[in-house]
Amino acid sequence: MNEFRNIKPCIVKYYEIPLDNINNISNITSKAYLLKTLQSETYFIKKTTHNALEKYHYLYNQGTNNILYPILNKKNNYVTRNANSSIYISNYYNDITIKKDAKLNNLIKNIDSLHQMTSFKKQLDPLSSRPKFEEITRRLDFQFRILEDYIRKVELDDLKDYSMGILSNYQYILNAKSELIKLQKRIISTVKSKESINFSFIHNNPKLDHLINVKGYNYLCSIENGKIGLSSLDFAKLYVENEMVNIDFKSIIKDILIKENNHFEYDYFRYLVLFIYIMRIKLTNNDHINSAMIVNVSESIKKYFENFSDE
């Protein structure tokens, strides 16, 4: 509660909630609090980033109507900033409980709506794109070298109970490597041609918990990690986190990302998904843990090829 003491003056000054009217304060996370007043009003308070203020105002000025905007403070700002921290306050809503597949479909629709409401055309720039791709390539090359060295060690050792799980699934890692090389060539070719692509405000943390239903309407919340970018990133993160949910990812993702026979955003989505999977493999000194990790990632890669391989 020491952290909350530091932001109490902001609540009193900018939101006019008197200290003697506060009934109870409880932690939700290390950065989020629940505040209840003597009148049984409940508020959600969150420490956020300094630039969250500009992001909320940008979305508001774009007419983005599926964002759960915080309460405006006395300065008519969504975020209150001081020298040490930034906070926002929202009314607290108990989200309704619905089946995971239904909520995921709602989240996808709202993420897509967010992208469409903030969309603008921008020409791809090879000069600014190059450092990013060089960094991704460097990380992938390093990761594949570590995996290859580890597989070689397992092959040379005596056969153990964990060995087959590693050796029998390594082919899927190699399949992912080949797919990444193919997709990267396509992406670089499109970047070099300086095509115009849709950019938009992306949520950048599209979790199921970040969709709230208020009086029958769905709203996205926790947008402080958002930025201008390609919609592929939101959908890659969303897919990887929810791949086991039984919805038609294949049709949904294609319908959203393939525009006017332009496959760039779809290819970039696929590239990011495989990149995330490969980088998930964090080898340890425990071969049983390594085996389980490789098996799990291989299952995800197999599901990827079922859904998104070239037809």
Side-chain angles (χ1 to χ4, degrees), residues 135-161:
E135 172 63 15
I136 291 174
T137 302
R138 185 193 64 77
R139 290 178 64 187
L140 282 171
D141 287 344
F142 182 71
Q143 179 77 333
F144 281 123
R145 281 199 302 273
I146 290 175
L147 289 169
E148 286 163 9
D149 289 344
Y150 180 69
I151 296 299
R152 197 171 294 117
K153 182 181 84 68
V154 173
E155 287 176 331
L156 292 174
D157 285 347
D158 294 334
L159 202 63
K160 305 283 177 42
D161 57 342

Side-chain angles (χ1 to χ4, degrees), residues 237-266:
K237 288 183 175 182
L238 188 152
Y239 170 75
V240 165
E241 184 158 315
N242 298 284
E243 63 179 31
M244 299 308 295
V245 180
N246 185 23
I247 66 170
D248 186 5
F249 277 113
K250 182 176 182 178
S251 297
I252 292 170
I253 296 296
K254 282 188 174 183
D255 287 346
I256 292 173
L257 294 182
I258 299 178
K259 299 180 176 72
E260 300 171 357
N261 208 31
N262 188 321
H263 285 64
F264 175 79
E265 290 179 60
Y266 180 58

Side-chain angles (χ1 to χ4, degrees), residues 65-101:
N65 58 14
N66 67 337
I67 299 296
L68 189 64
Y69 292 97
I71 296 170
L72 289 167
N73 65 19
K74 285 177 66 176
K75 290 188 174 182
N76 213 34
N77 288 325
Y78 289 115
V79 175
T80 300
R81 295 194 291 209
N82 59 34
N84 300 315
S85 63
S86 294
I87 66 162
Y88 64 77
I89 298 181
S90 300
N91 291 309
Y92 180 76
Y93 300 100
N94 285 310
D95 194 24
I96 62 171
T97 302
I98 62 173
K99 291 179 64 178
K100 198 171 185 179
D101 55 352

Side-chain angles (χ1 to χ4, degrees), residues 66 106-118 200 220 231 234-235 238 255-257 259:
N66 67 337
N106 289 336
L107 176 60
I108 291 170
K109 289 175 184 175
N110 276 272
I111 290 293
D112 187 38
S113 293
L114 170 65
H115 297 163
Q116 291 186 39
M117 284 186 279
T118 59
S200 59
L220 295 167
S231 58
D234 266 347
F235 287 112
L238 188 152
D255 287 346
I256 292 173
L257 294 182
K259 299 180 176 72

Side-chain angles (χ1 to χ4, degrees), residues 39-286:
Q39 289 76 34
S40 299
E41 298 166 322
T42 307
Y43 296 100
F44 173 80
I45 303 172
K46 186 176 182 181
K47 292 184 68 177
T48 188
T49 57
H50 279 321
N51 61 359
L53 174 61
E54 286 76 19
K55 293 176 184 180
Y56 277 112
H57 281 297
Y58 173 79
L59 291 170
Y60 178 80
N61 290 329
Q62 290 289 112
T64 314
N65 58 14
N66 67 337
I67 299 296
L68 189 64
Y69 292 97
I71 296 170
L72 289 167
N73 65 19
K74 285 177 66 176
K75 290 188 174 182
N76 213 34
N77 288 325
Y78 289 115
V79 175
T80 300
R81 295 194 291 209
N82 59 34
N84 300 315
S85 63
S86 294
I87 66 162
Y88 64 77
I89 298 181
S90 300
N91 291 309
Y92 180 76
Y93 300 100
N94 285 310
D95 194 24
I96 62 171
T97 302
I98 62 173
K99 291 179 64 178
K100 198 171 185 179
D101 55 352
K103 185 160 188 177
L104 181 55
N105 269 303
N106 289 336
L107 176 60
I108 291 170
K109 289 175 184 175
N110 276 272
I111 290 293
D112 187 38
S113 293
L114 170 65
H115 297 163
Q116 291 186 39
M117 284 186 279
T118 59
S119 177
F120 62 93
K121 286 279 188 181
K122 182 179 176 183
Q123 194 176 51
L124 292 169
D125 181 8
L127 195 62
S128 62
S129 300
R130 183 174 177 178
K132 182 177 181 179
F133 270 105
E134 286 180 346
E135 172 63 15
I136 291 174
T137 302
R138 185 193 64 77
R139 290 178 64 187
L140 282 171
D141 287 344
F142 182 71
Q143 179 77 333
F144 281 123
R145 281 199 302 273
I146 290 175
L147 289 169
E148 286 163 9
D149 289 344
Y150 180 69
I151 296 299
R152 197 171 294 117
K153 182 181 84 68
V154 173
E155 287 176 331
L156 292 174
D157 285 347
D158 294 334
L159 202 63
K160 305 283 177 42
D161 57 342
Y162 58 79
S163 303
M164 288 309 298
I166 296 170
L167 298 177
S168 63
N169 282 283
Y170 184 53
Q171 60 175 309
Y172 302 110
I173 308 294
L174 295 177
N175 290 344
K177 183 179 181 181
S178 298
E179 180 87 342
L180 281 162
I181 292 170
K182 178 185 72 178
L183 291 169
Q184 184 167 337
K185 286 179 180 177
R186 286 188 197 167
I187 293 165
I188 289 174
S189 175
T190 305
V191 172
K192 285 182 176 179
S193 68
K194 298 183 179 181
E195 290 187 20
S196 288
I197 298 295
N198 286 322
F199 282 74
S200 59
F201 187 93
I202 60 173
H203 189 285
N204 206 25
N205 194 16
K207 298 179 181 294
L208 289 172
D209 288 344
H210 293 160
L211 184 73
I212 303 293
N213 188 282
V214 181
K215 298 178 181 178
Y217 294 93
N218 290 310
Y219 297 93
L220 295 167
C221 61
S222 299
I223 58 90
E224 49 262 49
N225 290 318
K227 61 181 181 178
I228 300 298
L230 295 170
S231 58
S232 309
L233 179 59
D234 266 347
F235 287 112
K237 288 183 175 182
L238 188 152
Y239 170 75
V240 165
E241 184 158 315
N242 298 284
E243 63 179 31
M244 299 308 295
V245 180
N246 185 23
I247 66 170
D248 186 5
F249 277 113
K250 182 176 182 178
S251 297
I252 292 170
I253 296 296
K254 282 188 174 183
D255 287 346
I256 292 173
L257 294 182
I258 299 178
K259 299 180 176 72
E260 300 171 357
N261 208 31
N262 188 321
H263 285 64
F264 175 79
E265 290 179 60
Y266 180 58
D267 284 344
Y268 192 46
F269 158 82
R270 295 158 70 195
Y271 185 82
L272 290 171
V273 168
L274 289 176
F275 172 76
I276 293 169
Y277 286 149
I278 295 301
M279 299 310 297
R280 266 185 179 177
I281 305 173
K282 308 290 185 186
L283 295 177
T284 70
N285 293 324
N286 188 314

